[in-house]
Amino acid sequence: MKKFDPSREIQYLKQFGEFGGVNPAITDSSTFTFLGAKTMVDTFEGEAEGCFLYSRHWNPMNKYLADALAAMEGTEAGWVTGSGMAAITCTILEICNSGDHIISSITTYGGTYAFLMNYLPKFNIDVTLVDITDLEAVKAAIRPNTKIIYTETLTNPLLQVSDIPALAKISNANNIKLVVDNTFSPMMVAPYSLGAHVVVYSMTKFINGKNDCVAGAICADADFINSIIDVNTGTAMLLGPVIDPLRSSSILKNLHTLHIRMKQHSFNAAFLAKKFNEVGMKTSYPGLPAHPGHDILTKMMNPKFGYGGIIAIDVGTAEIAANFMEAMQSKGVGYLAVSLGYFKTLFSNSGSSTSSEVPIETQKEMGLTPGLVRYSVGLDNDIEDTWTRIEESLRETGIIK
Ligand code: PLP
């Protein structure tokens, strides 16, 4: 069977500008005029195909971007948000009512962790954290009121691999929605085609790839997207985390180069992961055959995009990590910065930055060590030269001899 090719789906979209521009025109309007009063009423009732009402609901430029993302994901529909957190929180609040229960991977992005553990108790929504690679633990955590199994395809920052088809099977058998954050692996993995019900993204990362904005996306079937933007009850419509159409336009243009960028990120990361391994560093990269999730990811992957651009290594302590990262920055390896998916290499010490919301005890439980340095490997044309600089930094800071 021919595997799904997300880049092809985007390539064959026909999205023209108003005057034939090759890029769709930005509609710089928050509200829209109606030539007939009845059409406005019909639009409010969701019965006027092709009419726009108000840009918190839909703006034509946001629709172009959402359509392109839905094509990439193989979903019927999509919706774009002002941040990845908006996509995650709106999805969860749309599915869950007060008194419901969520099963989540214990390793998730720190902001998601904080939302699940610190914010949802306000609504009496309970969360059980599990090792998402332990399918028996997932099954054992199911309660009659469980509404969501939440995970990331590749978890942040430990790079555990979620077995999406297996989790989908468990979800379907128990009438639970499987929500997957695919931020680390766009193009590489298409979670919806593997059985996920809702796919969420921080587009801030690889999808946009320029670190010039914060944005998010939700991809799902049309019923779910329609429910989330329902004018009377939809979480996204009522909380209003919409993205500016000017920004959607620039993200859409960047989306068209995502397939090339993912290949280069993967190529460079695979090279560095191998080198880290060779010099004896404790290295987590799903492209290494020794990675516990390697075989599962290999089965789930769309061809040709590689194993992604994120690597985690362990240098021992947070103090050594700080010295090492400063050394790498001064040698031009990249920037000491949070976030990922940028054209330059970024590195950070997860325990003291993007996962600092996670209590130390839980960090220990999930296996997040204080000396973990997460790399988002850039698009460097000469990755051997980058390695030389990293190796010098490792030696200078006494990590290797
Ligand atoms: N999901 C993952 C995996 C992330 O790494 C992040 C941010 O770092 C988010 C979601 C949140 O996205 P945003 O910062 O765009 O709100």
Side-chain angles (χ1 to χ4, degrees):
M1 198 180 78
K2 207 164 161 242
K3 277 250 194 174
F4 184 63
D5 180 354
S7 61
R8 190 176 182 278
E9 301 302 315
I10 295 174
Q11 184 190 336
Y12 287 112
L13 284 174
K14 288 199 175 72
Q15 297 184 321
F16 293 115
E18 230 175 332
F19 302 103
V22 292
N23 291 306
I26 300 170
T27 303
D28 199 15
S29 292
S30 56
T31 192
F32 299 83
T33 178
F34 289 88
L35 298 181
K38 180 164 183 316
T39 320
M40 182 185 267
V41 176
D42 290 347
T43 307
F44 256 97
E45 286 167 3
E47 282 165 13
E49 187 66 24
C51 286
F52 289 88
L53 185 66
Y54 187 63
S55 286
R56 174 158 40 83
H57 183 242
W58 273 125
N59 171 285
M61 191 63 235
N62 291 356
K63 181 93 172 78
Y64 284 125
L65 177 58
D67 288 349
L69 292 162
M72 174 179 92
E73 240 6 88
T75 57
E76 281 174 339
W79 203 71
V80 282
T81 57
S83 71
M85 282 310 293
I88 293 164
T89 56
C90 285
T91 297
I92 291 174
L93 292 175
E94 181 67 23
I95 298 171
C96 288
N97 290 318
S98 174
D100 284 340
H101 173 243
I102 297 171
I103 299 168
S104 170
S105 164
I106 189 168
T107 62
T108 56
Y109 164 60
T112 307
Y113 180 91
F115 177 72
L116 294 171
M117 304 312 287
N118 308 340
Y119 199 88
L120 286 182
K122 277 215 253 209
F123 301 103
N124 189 27
I125 296 170
D126 218 6
V127 180
T128 303
L129 300 174
V130 294
D131 172 354
I132 205 70
T133 62
D134 181 351
L135 297 174
E136 290 311 311
V138 174
K139 279 187 210 158
I142 294 173
R143 300 182 193 164
N145 58 342
T146 305
K147 291 289 158 60
I148 294 178
I149 295 177
Y150 185 90
T151 193
E152 296 168 355
T153 309
L154 295 175
T155 66
N156 184 359
L158 290 170
L159 304 176
Q160 283 180 308
V161 175
S162 297
D163 187 340
I164 298 170
L167 291 168
K169 211 168 154 197
I170 298 171
S171 304
N172 290 334
N174 292 279
N175 203 18
I176 296 171
K177 294 253 185 270
L178 176 62
V179 178
V180 177
D181 179 339
N182 199 41
T183 298
F184 278 27
S185 43
M187 296 271 163
M188 281 168 58
V189 179
Y192 188 81
S193 69
L194 299 169
H197 300 101
V198 185
V199 183
V200 288
Y201 278 107
S202 167
M203 294 201 289
T204 316
K205 314 290 159 40
F206 288 104
I207 289 184
N208 186 49
K210 305 291 182 291
N211 259 309
D212 53 5
C213 73
V214 173
I218 305 168
C219 296
D221 59 30
D223 279 352
F224 185 75
I225 298 299
N226 288 336
S227 73
I228 212 162
I229 55 167
D230 184 285
V231 287
N232 294 308
T233 56
T235 309
M237 182 61 182
L238 299 176
L239 297 185
V242 73
I243 189 169
D244 189 305
L246 272 78
R247 189 50 86 183
S248 284
S249 166
S250 67
I251 297 174
L252 180 57
K253 283 172 273 189
N254 292 334
L255 181 67
H256 283 272
T257 58
L258 178 61
H259 60 297
I260 305 169
R261 289 186 280 114
M262 286 313 291
K263 286 178 194 173
Q264 189 70 19
H265 283 299
S266 292
F267 178 84
N268 286 351
F271 182 88
L272 293 185
K274 195 162 160 269
K275 291 289 182 188
F276 279 125
N277 225 5
E278 280 168 11
V279 298
M281 298 299 304
K282 205 170 153 208
T283 310
S284 177
Y285 182 65
L288 294 173
H291 187 285
H294 177 77
D295 291 345
I296 296 170
L297 185 57
T298 305
K299 271 193 220 136
M300 295 196 302
M301 274 163 43
N302 298 317
K304 296 191 192 155
F305 301 107
Y307 289 85
I310 311 292
I311 306 174
I313 61 164
D314 192 347
V315 297
T317 66
E319 205 183 2
I320 298 173
N323 293 337
F324 173 54
M325 292 188 300
E326 282 172 11
M328 284 194 296
Q329 180 156 257
S330 71
K331 289 182 193 304
V333 172
Y335 297 135
L336 199 180
V338 296
S339 203
L340 49 115
Y342 188 44
F343 44 79
K344 287 192 75 138
T345 296
L346 303 178
F347 32 84
S348 55
N349 175 226
S350 301
S352 61
S353 58
T354 46
S355 294
S356 57
E357 295 93 336
V358 180
I360 296 292
E361 279 316 304
T362 316
Q363 289 193 17
K364 274 192 198 146
E365 194 185 330
M366 65 168 74
L368 204 178
T369 48
L372 185 134
V373 174
R374 186 191 74 186
Y375 284 84
S376 166
V377 181
L379 301 175
D380 314 18
N381 193 39
D382 187 351
I383 196 66
E384 287 187 39
D385 179 56
T386 307
W387 170 250
T388 309
R389 293 161 195 250
I390 295 175
E391 200 178 12
E392 275 171 24
S393 311
L394 285 168
R395 287 190 204 289
E396 248 175 44
T397 47
I399 298 169
I400 59 167
K401 294 258 156 39

